[in-house]
Amino acid sequence: MIIVFGQITNSFVETGQNKSTGGNNSTIDLEGQMTTYAYYYVGLGFGVLILSTIQVWTFLMTAARQTARIRDKFFFAVLHQEMAWFDTMQIGTLNTRLTDDINTIQDGLGDKISLIVQFSATFVAGIIIGFSYGWKLTLVILAMSPVLVVAGAVWSYLLSHLTTKELTAYAKAGAVAEEILSAIRTVTAFNGQKKALARYDANLEEARIVGIKKTVTTNASLGITQFLIFACYALAFWYGTKLTDEEPNNYDIGNVLIVFFSVLIGVFSIGQAAPHLESLANARGAAYEVYKIINKFRPLDSSSIGGFKPDKLRGEIEFRNVHFSYPSRPDSQILKGLNLKIQPGKTIAFVGSSGCGKSTTIQLLQRFYDPNEGEIYIDGCDIRVLNIKWMRENIGIVSQEPILFATTIAGNIRYGRENVTDAEIEQASKEANAYDFISKLPDKFNTMVGERGAQLSGGQKQRIAIARALVRNPKILLLDEATSALDTQSESIVQAALDKARAGRTTIVIAHRLSTIKTADVIAGFDKGVLVEQGTHDQLMEHKGVYHALVMQQSFGGDDHKDETSEEGTEFETDYDDETCEEDDINDLELNSLENPIKGLEIFRINSLNRKSSRHHISRVSTKKYSEKRKRKTRKRKVKKNKEEEEKLPEIPYSRILALNKPEFCAIAVGVIAAAIGGCVTPAFAILFGKIIGTFRETDLTKKGQTTTLLSLMFLVLGVISLVTYILQGFMFGRSGEALTMRLRSLSFKALLQQEIGWFDDHKNGTGVLLTRLATDASQVKGATGSRLGLLTMTTFTLVAAIVIAFDNGWQLTLLILACVPFVALANAIRFRSMTGHTSKDQKALEEAGRISTEAVENIRTVVALTREDRFFEQYKASLAGPYRDSLKKAPLNGFTYGISQCANFFINAAVFRFGAWLVVNHYMDFEQLFIVFASVIFAAMNVGQSNSLAPDFGKSKVSAQRIFQLLDRKPQIDSYSEEGEKLDKFDGNIQFKDIHFVYPTRREVQVLQGLNIKVNRGQTLALVGSSGCGKSTSIQLLERFYDPGSGQVFVDGVDTKTLQIQWLRSQLGLVQQEPILFDCSIAENIQYGDNSRVVSQEEIEEAAKAANIHNFIENLPEKYNTRVGDKGAQLSGGQKQRIAIARALVRKPAILLLDEATSALDTESEKIVQKALDDARKGRTCIVIAHRLSTIQNSDTIAVIQNGKVVEQGTHSQLLAMEGFYYTLVNAHVPH
């Protein structure tokens, strides 16, 4: 193309020289020559169209495949890491890596690489042509190249380094957001929104500063590049003119232009490659972190196919001299020389105080960790030589804090064993005493349980987890407080089911209720990581050691000393609709994700031996019908859901997006002015270019030399202007763009924390989905402002100035060029549409993938224990299959439209020079004007070509902006930030529930409370009892104003809670939940969280810790109160977490204390002391207690029995026993202590 251009120039200059000397003999030659050259251009154009299409098509396909593979490999690597890695890794950062970082990698692959290759090839070809046509001039121009290369290398290094820092800062912010959103109820209850926002903003501020540095670096490097290129122009034209005078045989204007343009376009192409090199540098920065995890050596790899798989497993277990400390806390020794042998088929019970190493032993047996010293044997085989997955598949576990996944009840049970039939699911649920409550739900087994089982009560979750365990038939069964969350009636039945499941299996039981382990073959007593005694119940009672002391502490008097009742006691439960409201006891929901290496070992699977034969008799027909019905319902639900989702995004004017940048208006204004000046540089260059070619018709060599020198210096001036404007833009737009990103992330997070709890119950607002949006939306909106706004301004001014100059020098030719513009614009519009058409669809799929990955990683212990890593991996892959297929479909269209935009210049050149020749011949313009018109429009078009990179950003920006504004504009039904409402001067703590009717917003068909009337006076204790799911915890949530009742009112001191200032109301309530959520910070900070309205002193922290019986434990830790508790308290046992949660509630000195199973996770020893602490804390306070252990509520002023969402009896313990009604039945059904 350049060679043709050089020959065209020669023809025009010769014509010009002839005219200036009075000759007129080349008219026919000029038009004829131009026709030939036009054919050359058309041929080249078609070649470019075909090659460009193939180039972009193939590279986009490659990028889609590579990104899909990287996502898969990364998620696979994360799922198969050892537990010690998760103990030290912030879970939230992994979700950020999966979304932000891999999107950055995808951006840097694909057509970006093909364009870098294309521009590099242009550079090389340009240099070769340059040397062929004039080596001296080429060498002079290339003298500048080393400086360009060095500048580019320095820039690339800086950018890669800054990108890594920026992504790390955003990953930290993502980890904070994940922790807060997954514990939203705890945050809301303790008014922790401001503290959460401050933590999030602190990480965003770090990212903002790095982001500004990154933008300034980018623009400074672009400015330097532009300055060096203009310096090249100045040197080339000055020296080229000199050569045409000194060596007229070797150099004419054509040759000078061929050399100049070859090298110029070669160097230009390096400049054009710069934005793509930026994407590549960003991708390298992101890939470093991603590949670090992919390539990490995994010492305990569950995907390993290596290892021994014995044909038969008897279940003999032996611990030999096992010493262990958690890798994240190497100073704290947990097990100190454990020696223990368990015979096959026998049941052994571990007892001891909280944190003595019982649950740790179970984790070592599952190979979550390997011991520091010693060995563990199964059937005489060191477990380190066994295949890890095979071994875990033969171990079943039911744990204290059950983790359910955001799918149906049937889907959760199916996690226990692949290919389980619907009939087997029903049978397992019956054995776990869950069938009755499930069958009363509108969707039965197809009921969605919500994120982490949020729609179910603690007892219901536990029973589904037991059913999940029972659909398998493991040789080794581990029961870690498997019935702790059950109410009294359910417990005896489920305990019987578990006893039956134990038959013929090696079973390890951990239980704080010692009555459940009396019948164990061996009971092993632990104390501070040492096995101090073992024997049967009778032997140990005679021995009077640890076990005897625990039994003595646990015994209590009164009417609860009853013999264990038979299953008749369950009549009470089945009769009353215990589970109607069931799934909706949501108090635990955010807590269900709790997993910790000591207590939260989650659920594994057990199967019942006696089940297989009976199950095969159940009709397969009903199973098939059941499955088909479920599929139909799911399909209908999906269609309906998609329609709803598509309709909702509001239209957002661009001015509203810009309005968010109002505080940075001055910076943007300066940036826009700099961009406008920078935009005029290219048209100014076109004028200089035309003038320089025009000088060659000058026959006076001295005059020609002077003019050329002056014009060359003008090129240098343009270079300086370009450098200054680029640096100004970088600083100003960097500042405004990063401030906008930070502001949007912060506002979005603030708006999320403002929403009512019911909003989070909706599956569309799951933690994973919200995190993905938070990570991507704000940074995509930046694509519509900041540096992009600068580029837009620049290109606008370039175009306007170019068109004005072109019209001034030759309106006929300008009109022809402009007539071609719509075709180029159409090609770019099609390209733009193909980019944006799938944006929202891809976004939805990425959010679903984010939900799956977050759920799997947050509950990694459960996933690993269930050996369901592959299942989650397949789900993740399936969720991304749609965008992957779309990107493959879009690739050819993107390639074709890119090809059109590339070849358009060739066709336009053909038309311009052919028509230009006619205009020159017919004296409508001279050749200098022709070149000014040509250069101004064509160079402007090349410059505007860069704005093609806007296409993906604007499409995504619009959708992201709509989504952000939809969130910011949403008015929550219960506004946690509201300052409206009354603050009572004197607060006594009288509470009344008056005719309360309530349904959960996401499950309107299930009536939870049906006319609840109950009153508790100042300083009194009200105990709520009733079977699991009857609405006890719901009433506490209504008092906290997590929800508002459908009808009826909640009064405190005679005032409707809806009229009180919401944060003040919550500050009067102290909540201790059944499954406590702790944050990934120090113990002291977790206790301080109890009162976020002030700075809590160390003395108060210690006082609260002593009251909760945790002070001595903390003092024995190496870092004492500064010990980090790990993600969701993972470094602590269940009992330790519970006591810290109690200390947290006590530190705020609340007027009303709400205890929802506050001592359920404690061992006997701790429970007595903590119960005394709670009894002391209750003095002078109004207190509502929910407890399944009836012994803990005997002294309450009022005990209310709730059934079907209303109170059926109330009175004192002795009054209710005398009535011989529901409470009496409950006491009799209670498993004795």
Side-chain angles (χ1 to χ4, degrees), residues 858-1053:
E858 275 187 348
N859 307 315
I860 190 68
R861 278 183 164 72
T862 303
V863 173
V864 169
L866 291 167
T867 60
R868 285 294 161 263
E869 299 97 327
D870 293 343
R871 171 94 173 265
F872 274 95
F873 179 60
E874 290 307 321
Q875 280 180 8
Y876 182 74
K877 273 175 76 172
S879 70
L880 290 169
Y884 173 63
R885 280 195 303 273
D886 284 346
S887 55
L888 293 186
K889 280 182 202 164
K890 285 190 291 181
L893 180 62
N894 285 345
F896 182 65
T897 50
Y898 175 75
I900 289 175
S901 63
Q902 289 300 296
C903 72
N905 279 352
F906 289 89
F907 298 134
I908 291 169
N909 284 1
V912 166
F913 287 116
R914 180 64 192 84
F915 183 52
W918 184 83
L919 289 172
V920 171
V921 168
N922 290 292
H923 307 292
Y924 288 106
M925 67 195 304
D926 63 20
F927 82 92
E928 182 184 299
Q929 288 173 314
L930 183 143
F931 276 100
I932 288 175
V933 171
F934 171 76
S936 63
V937 179
I938 295 303
F939 284 135
M942 282 171 70
N943 204 296
V944 172
Q946 281 190 355
S947 65
N948 275 350
S949 56
L950 271 172
D953 287 314
F954 274 130
K956 289 175 183 171
S957 298
K958 192 181 172 193
V959 177
S960 294
Q962 287 173 324
R963 207 178 278 117
I964 285 174
F965 281 115
Q966 185 183 37
L967 173 64
L968 297 183
D969 294 342
R970 185 181 188 275
K971 289 192 167 47
Q973 290 162 10
I974 302 169
D975 186 352
S976 294
Y977 295 158
S978 173
E979 292 297 323
E980 292 173 12
E982 192 183 346
K983 293 182 183 177
L984 303 180
D985 297 328
K986 185 169 179 288
F987 187 57
D988 292 332
N990 300 303
I991 302 167
Q992 184 184 2
F993 293 88
K994 188 175 180 184
D995 195 28
I996 301 285
H997 289 75
F998 177 71
V999 293
Y1000 282 99
T1002 51
R1003 299 272 280 288
R1004 297 194 175 278
E1005 68 279 9
V1006 181
Q1007 194 73 26
V1008 183
L1009 297 177
Q1010 305 179 44
L1012 179 72
N1013 283 291
I1014 197 162
K1015 193 171 181 181
V1016 55
N1017 293 323
R1018 171 191 177 179
Q1020 289 192 334
T1021 296
L1022 165 70
L1024 301 178
V1025 298
S1027 55
S1028 193
C1030 65
K1032 304 184 296 292
S1033 298
T1034 301
S1035 56
I1036 282 185
Q1037 297 193 70
L1038 292 176
L1039 184 58
E1040 282 273 6
R1041 281 203 73 201
F1042 287 172
Y1043 305 90
D1044 280 339
S1047 65
Q1049 291 162 294
V1050 182
F1051 293 101
V1052 292
D1053 284 1

Side-chain angles (χ1 to χ4, degrees), residues 549-568:
L550 287 170
V551 171
M552 289 299 101
Q553 282 172 346
Q554 204 169 83
S555 58
F556 63 89
D559 292 285
D560 287 4
H561 266 307
K562 300 274 177 192
D563 291 326
E564 225 173 291
T565 51
S566 69
E567 294 197 9
E568 287 165 21

